Amino acid sequence: MKNITIIGTGYVGLVTGVGLSEFGNKVICVDINQSKINDLNAGKVPIYEPGLLDLIRKNVNSERLFFSSDIASSIKESEVIIIAVGTPQSKNGSADLKYVFDALDSISENLNSYKVIVTKSTVPIGTGEKIITKLKKKYEDNIDFDYVSNPEFLREGSAVKDFLWPDRVIIGTNNEKALQIMRDIYRPLYINKNPIQRAAVETSEMIKYASNSFLALKISFINEIANLCESVGADVHDVAIAMGKDGRISDKFLHPGPGFGGSCFPKDLEALLSLSKEHSVTMETLQAAIKANRNQKERIGEKLDRLVSGGIKGKKIAILGLTFKANTDDVRESSTIDLIKFILNQGGFVNAYDPIANESMAKIFNDIHYFDNVYDAICEVDALVIMTEWNEFRALDLNRIKKSMRNNYVLDTRNILNMKELSEQGFVYDNIGRIKI
Ligand code: UDX
């Protein structure tokens, strides 16, 4: 087992730090944000991730997990330094590496012994080479380090599970010693299966972008199939089931919806597209996935405007689900942002409810009404729109809702409501790509 410092305590850094301490390593999670570190040391977790708080408590109590803002001494006492800071999208679509290079500066100022420097943040292909060159230029050959690319494949809402039971762990390095050290910190994964795959640094960086881009393309594809299903009278639910039975396709990520959001897919696709343009390599599939997603977000507002008799103007709309998907508190690039903008621009009014993210959305829209439960949110509204697939939305009391709404329009953008029940209750409803009952 090793002494590890993780720089950055966001979704990726915190889950990685907790996961590696769970594997038996001694891990210090560091951040420049002192209040974040204070909260973590007080047992407060800044993000919503099922299972994370329990694991933090367990590993802090076992003295394997620590939180500190003293980056210098943490680096000095660690053998493995993992960069897990944000790489936000810059204006031209490429990834902004400011925080990565700030972290690298902290590392290079504290290289008091051999270290494995690991980038877990999603970085453009070729960044590893730049990091190695920058360090070698500064120290020539009188420092001892090796570099590793170790991208993450964590989904928000299931990040702990995805870390502890990964499909694969990619170790991008051309150095045997560094590879062995990385195998050592992930050793418990050998117990069930050995998901560790070695690759060259650039290959490892490409694996991350290619994986995310393909998943996003798959979502844009099923969304467009759903849209065509609506016009030709096919049912996308049955199409997806039949497609998914083909092992080459798999049934995962074939759920049509309001368009993908989150802090990864949108920015990763733009970053890869930006890189492909730099290299004058055409990537039509990438452009198509991005454009189809933008169209899907716009389409939701248009569907609602057509569904509600007389259009949205002057109507009160309840939106259930504010985040980019269920089981998270993250509203970044959420399709609900586009929908709220559309409703307000059309002269409609919004009642909003999310099980955990009302506050997050209120930072973007402070001129809509937020409720702390579904049934208050839908009281006296003309239409109800479901935007995320929280389980509590799957089990709505439609009879109670019908009596409480002023009108009877329902738009289910996640296809989670029972159409037979909607019809029986007298709702005028729409969804994505289904044959109506
Ligand atoms: C994604 C990747 O899945 C993960 O491997 C990577 O490390 C980070 O980016 P995340 O963005 O957290 O994870 O969530 P994910 O579950 O992939 O969903 C992304 C978006 O796609 C959400 O808006 C979700 O609603 C949407 N989606 C997902 C669909 O619309 N249909 C699907 O079938 C699956």
Side-chain angles (χ1 to χ4, degrees):
M1 290 301 132
K2 298 289 177 232
N3 288 347
I4 302 171
T5 286
I6 313 258
I7 303 177
T9 57
Y11 282 93
V12 174
L14 199 48
V15 173
T16 300
V18 173
L20 289 173
S21 67
E22 177 69 6
F23 286 167
N25 300 287
K26 177 179 176 275
V27 179
I28 310 170
C29 291
V30 299
D31 203 299
I32 52 174
N33 183 326
Q34 184 62 55
S35 64
K36 230 181 184 185
I37 295 298
N38 296 342
D39 283 349
L40 285 163
N41 281 320
K44 281 188 238 153
V45 183
I47 58 172
Y48 174 90
E49 269 301 334
L52 185 62
L53 181 57
D54 292 345
L55 268 189
I56 287 177
R57 285 184 179 140
K58 174 187 171 191
N59 287 286
V60 165
N61 294 339
S62 309
E63 297 189 344
R64 284 194 299 267
L65 179 63
F66 303 85
F67 302 108
S68 167
S69 56
D70 183 351
I71 294 183
S73 56
S74 301
I75 290 169
K76 286 195 175 89
E77 63 182 84
S78 299
E79 189 177 2
V80 178
I81 316 296
I82 299 180
I83 300 171
V85 294
T87 53
Q89 188 175 324
S90 54
K91 287 195 175 44
N92 68 358
S94 63
D96 180 348
L97 297 176
K98 173 185 179 320
Y99 302 115
V100 170
F101 285 111
D102 285 350
L104 191 66
D105 288 343
S106 303
I107 295 169
S108 61
E109 285 151 19
N110 295 285
L111 282 175
N112 60 338
S113 61
Y114 171 76
K115 308 228 183 264
V116 176
I117 300 172
V118 182
T119 298
K120 187 159 280 286
S121 303
T122 303
V123 293
I125 299 138
T127 302
E129 195 46 47
K130 286 180 187 160
I131 289 176
I132 294 166
T133 306
K134 187 179 168 88
L135 285 169
K136 286 197 169 153
K137 199 167 161 209
K138 181 169 182 176
Y139 292 96
E140 282 140 20
D141 290 332
N142 52 11
I143 57 148
D144 197 7
F145 77 94
D146 287 308
Y147 179 82
V148 171
S149 160
N150 175 219
E152 52 85 17
F153 301 97
L154 309 180
R155 290 166 295 168
E156 287 184 24
S158 57
V160 171
K161 184 171 73 64
D162 291 346
F163 188 90
L164 298 179
W165 292 278
D167 290 330
R168 74 312 206 174
V169 173
I170 305 300
I171 309 293
T173 184
N174 53 15
N175 178 277
E176 203 52 43
K177 179 180 177 184
L179 176 64
Q180 289 318 316
I181 288 171
M182 294 303 286
R183 285 186 187 284
D184 188 31
I185 71 173
Y186 284 107
R187 191 172 47 201
L189 291 178
Y190 288 22
I191 298 165
N192 40 16
K193 61 175 185 165
N194 177 4
I196 301 223
Q197 178 184 334
R198 179 190 188 160
V201 171
E202 289 72 15
T203 304
S204 171
E205 292 165 337
M206 174 60 87
I207 289 169
K208 170 65 183 174
Y209 278 104
S211 301
N212 264 13
S213 300
F214 182 76
L215 289 169
L217 179 61
K218 197 172 179 185
I219 293 165
S220 281
F221 178 77
I222 200 65
N223 282 341
E224 290 197 322
I225 289 290
N227 299 342
L228 185 56
C229 281
E230 291 178 0
S231 302
V232 301
D235 190 304
V236 72
H237 181 71
D238 296 336
V239 169
I241 288 173
M243 286 174 68
K245 286 186 164 53
D246 183 327
R248 295 168 301 174
I249 298 173
S250 114
D251 59 357
K252 300 287 186 297
F253 277 59
L254 280 179
H255 306 293
F260 58 77
S263 62
C264 296
F265 284 171
K267 97 175 155 64
D268 289 355
L269 270 69
E270 292 291 353
L272 191 59
L273 186 60
S274 168
L275 184 78
S276 69
K277 285 176 181 168
E278 275 174 37
H279 292 265
S280 308
V281 173
T282 304
M283 293 193 79
E284 302 291 358
T285 47
L286 212 46
Q287 305 212 45
I290 293 168
K291 184 150 180 22
N293 194 54
R294 212 169 282 140
N295 295 345
Q296 195 70 4
K297 292 185 181 218
E298 288 167 13
R299 199 165 183 278
I300 299 303
E302 291 156 8
K303 279 174 83 80
L304 180 64
D305 207 34
R306 283 197 301 273
L307 176 68
V308 177
S309 165
I312 290 171
K313 188 173 168 45
K315 303 292 195 316
K316 207 189 277 186
I317 316 289
I319 296 180
L320 303 187
L322 303 177
T323 49
F324 75 99
K325 66 172 192 175
N327 301 312
T328 179
D329 60 352
D330 196 346
V331 297
R332 285 176 289 183
E333 300 289 327
S334 167
S335 298
T336 306
I337 293 171
D338 303 79
L339 178 62
I340 293 173
K341 277 182 191 160
F342 181 83
I343 294 170
L344 296 178
N345 289 342
Q346 294 294 97
F349 304 93
V350 174
N351 281 5
Y353 168 69
D354 187 280
I356 53 174
N358 282 1
E359 268 176 53
S360 304
M361 191 59 91
K363 290 177 191 146
I364 301 171
F365 297 102
N366 57 16
D367 54 351
I368 64 176
H369 300 285
Y370 295 91
F371 294 82
D372 59 12
N373 70 80
V374 169
Y375 297 101
D376 287 348
I378 55 97
C379 194
E380 285 303 304
V381 298
D382 296 294
L384 156 63
V385 184
I386 292 186
M387 290 296 284
T388 59
E389 67 286 22
W390 278 98
N391 285 334
E392 72 172 275
F393 300 159
R394 296 173 191 273
L396 292 176
D397 177 345
L398 293 179
N399 180 277
R400 179 178 170 191
I401 286 177
K402 182 73 170 45
K403 288 179 185 145
S404 177
M405 284 174 69
R406 181 168 68 187
N407 224 315
N408 60 346
Y409 300 107
V410 172
L411 175 57
D412 175 9
T413 73
R414 297 289 182 167
N415 292 347
I416 58 175
L417 295 181
N418 180 303
M419 291 189 285
K420 186 167 177 295
E421 214 186 314
L422 284 167
S423 297
E424 284 166 357
Q425 291 291 340
F427 285 102
V428 175
Y429 70 90
D430 194 3
N431 44 33
I432 309 283
R434 300 300 308 274
I435 295 174
K436 307 298 183 287
I437 292 178

